[in-house]
């Protein structure tokens, strides 16, 4: 079972035009893949303009226009980021996201695998919406209970802010969750049998492992803050394992997926 996962898709002003061109290239690359992916996930941010700032409406319309060109047989999964909800989300910004893009947290099943899409801004700062955070926490406990009963082949999480960039013990940073929060979540995930967490936010590729949990941080379709290329991450899930590889947009369009991943897809 395959999924295509990315990090951020954002920026404003003149740079936004480049972001849109790159997102068009990403959609074209995904549409050309054979076999078709089971779904295409954007791990936030969807747009650059924060709530209440100029160009937000225009950027939203631009992205919606580009995403309409995605093959209709490839479901689109959207994860909320800090630029989508604000660094300190409110009931109003979450309602706006839900109205524009859909639920800010939800679960779905593909091929016996349970996927959880989470609103990580609640764990960054929920001071303006504590009741909404509590609702997600309660819902998450219920979902993890299902996963913990081993009613699924695997359980996989998508959220914008990574638990950690390299190590569970690393210092707190803008690009990760605080030590106390990350440790509590990671232990919960591991206890329920979650195998991997996929995130964006960092605009660079990163990641590490904690016990048997794989933390995968994908760089961006657009703005890069490191030396990675504009790209997408291909994820292949089989009964035994979860394999992933980051591809540049040019590489994916020109050459497609490498033979070893293609062989794994036949095992799904």
């Amino acid at each position: 079972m395959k999924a295509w996962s990315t990090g951020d898709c954002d920026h404003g002003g003149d740079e936004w035009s480049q972001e849109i061109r790159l997102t068009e290239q990403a959609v074209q690359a995904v549409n050309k893949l054979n076999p078709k992916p089971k779904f295409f996930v954007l791990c936030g941010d969807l747009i650059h303009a924060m709530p209440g700032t100029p160009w937000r409406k225009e950027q939203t319309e631009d992205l919606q226009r580009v995403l309409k060109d995605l093959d209709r047989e490839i479901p689109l999964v959207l994860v909320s980021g800090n630029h989508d909800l604000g660094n300190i989300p409110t009931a109003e910004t979450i309602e706006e996201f839900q109205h524009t893009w859909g639920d800010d947290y939800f679960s779905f099943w593909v091929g016996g695998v349970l996927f959880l899409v989470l609103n990580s801004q609640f764990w960054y700062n929920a001071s303006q919406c504590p009741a909404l955070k509590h609702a997600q926490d309660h819902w998450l406990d219920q979902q993890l209970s299902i996963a913990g009963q081993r009613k699924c082949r695997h359980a996989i999480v998508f959220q914008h802010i990574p638990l950690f960039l390299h190590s569970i013990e690393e210092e707190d940073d803008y690009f990760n969750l605080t030590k106390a929060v990350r440790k509590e979540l990671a232990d919960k995930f591991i206890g329920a049998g979650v195998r991997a967490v996929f995130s964006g936010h960092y605009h660079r590729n990163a990641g590490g492992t904690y016990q048997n949990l794989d933390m995968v941080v994908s760089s961006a379709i657009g703005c890069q803050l490191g030396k990675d290329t504009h790209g997408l991450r291909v994820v292949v899930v089989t009964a035994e394992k979860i394999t992933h590889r980051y591809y540049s947009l040019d590489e994916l369009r020109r050459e497609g997926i490498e033979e070893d991943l293609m062989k794994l897809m036949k095992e799904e």
Side-chain angles (χ1 to χ4, degrees):
M1 186 273 304
K2 294 81 64 182
W4 272 258
S5 168
T6 75
D8 300 287
C9 170
D10 63 23
H11 251 63
D14 293 338
E15 294 168 336
W16 179 250
S17 296
Q18 182 188 20
E19 295 281 337
I20 287 299
R21 285 194 299 273
L22 290 165
T23 307
E24 289 171 341
Q25 292 174 22
V27 168
Q28 291 165 9
V30 171
N31 285 344
K32 286 177 63 178
L33 292 171
N34 184 25
K36 293 181 189 294
K38 298 295 187 183
F39 58 88
F40 176 41
V41 55
L42 292 172
C43 281
D45 299 308
L46 303 182
I47 61 173
H48 180 68
M50 290 275 200
T53 63
W55 305 112
R56 186 169 173 86
K57 178 175 181 290
E58 291 81 0
Q59 289 183 9
T60 297
E61 292 172 349
D62 283 345
L63 182 58
Q64 288 174 332
R65 172 181 53 80
V66 172
L67 293 178
K68 282 181 180 178
D69 289 333
L70 182 67
D71 187 323
R72 294 188 178 216
E73 294 183 11
I74 303 173
L76 178 62
V77 177
L78 300 176
V79 182
S80 60
N82 58 303
H83 282 249
D84 305 312
L85 302 175
N87 284 323
I88 305 176
T90 66
E92 290 74 25
T93 63
I94 291 171
E95 182 179 7
E96 179 200 1
F97 180 89
Q98 292 170 340
H99 177 75
T100 305
W101 301 109
D103 291 337
D104 55 318
Y105 62 90
F106 55 94
S107 64
F108 62 98
W109 293 80
V110 178
V113 178
L114 174 63
F115 294 92
L116 302 174
V117 174
L118 305 179
N119 180 346
S120 57
Q121 290 310 122
F122 286 141
W123 298 313
Y124 181 80
N125 189 330
S127 59
Q128 299 301 308
C129 53
L132 294 178
K133 175 188 180 297
H134 176 75
Q136 178 181 255
D137 288 344
H138 178 69
W139 170 87
L140 178 58
D141 286 343
Q142 292 177 323
Q143 296 296 308
L144 293 177
S145 176
I146 294 172
Q149 294 169 26
R150 302 298 188 268
K151 293 182 178 178
C152 52
R153 293 170 67 186
H154 302 292
I156 296 173
V157 167
F158 298 120
Q159 61 184 59
H160 179 60
I161 302 177
L163 299 174
F164 54 88
L165 301 174
H166 304 287
S167 167
I168 193 77
E169 300 296 341
E170 69 195 21
E171 294 302 312
D172 296 350
D173 185 89
Y174 172 76
F175 290 109
N176 61 22
L177 295 176
T178 63
K179 283 184 180 180
V181 170
R182 83 176 74 125
K183 186 68 162 49
E184 179 183 356
L185 282 172
D187 287 340
K188 258 189 191 182
F189 291 160
I190 291 166
V194 173
R195 295 284 304 279
V197 177
F198 290 88
S199 296
H201 193 48
Y202 191 44
H203 292 257
R204 285 154 284 197
N205 286 314
T209 58
Y210 171 58
Q211 297 182 29
N212 61 346
L213 179 68
D214 195 9
M215 179 67 247
V216 184
V217 185
S218 295
S219 194
I221 289 174
C223 175
Q224 301 292 322
L225 297 182
K227 297 181 180 180
D228 296 298
T229 57
H230 309 289
L232 302 170
R233 187 174 299 276
V234 176
V235 183
V236 181
V237 181
T238 64
E240 292 76 28
K241 60 184 178 180
I242 300 165
T243 305
H244 53 86
R245 189 168 301 159
Y246 189 84
Y247 287 89
S248 72
L249 295 180
D250 288 340
E251 188 180 16
L252 202 55
R253 284 203 320 271
R254 287 195 319 266
E255 303 169 17
I257 300 168
E258 292 164 293
E259 185 61 30
D260 60 328
L261 290 187
M262 293 295 290
K263 287 180 179 177
L264 283 177
M265 289 179 189
K266 294 175 183 178
E267 299 177 12
E268 59 168 338

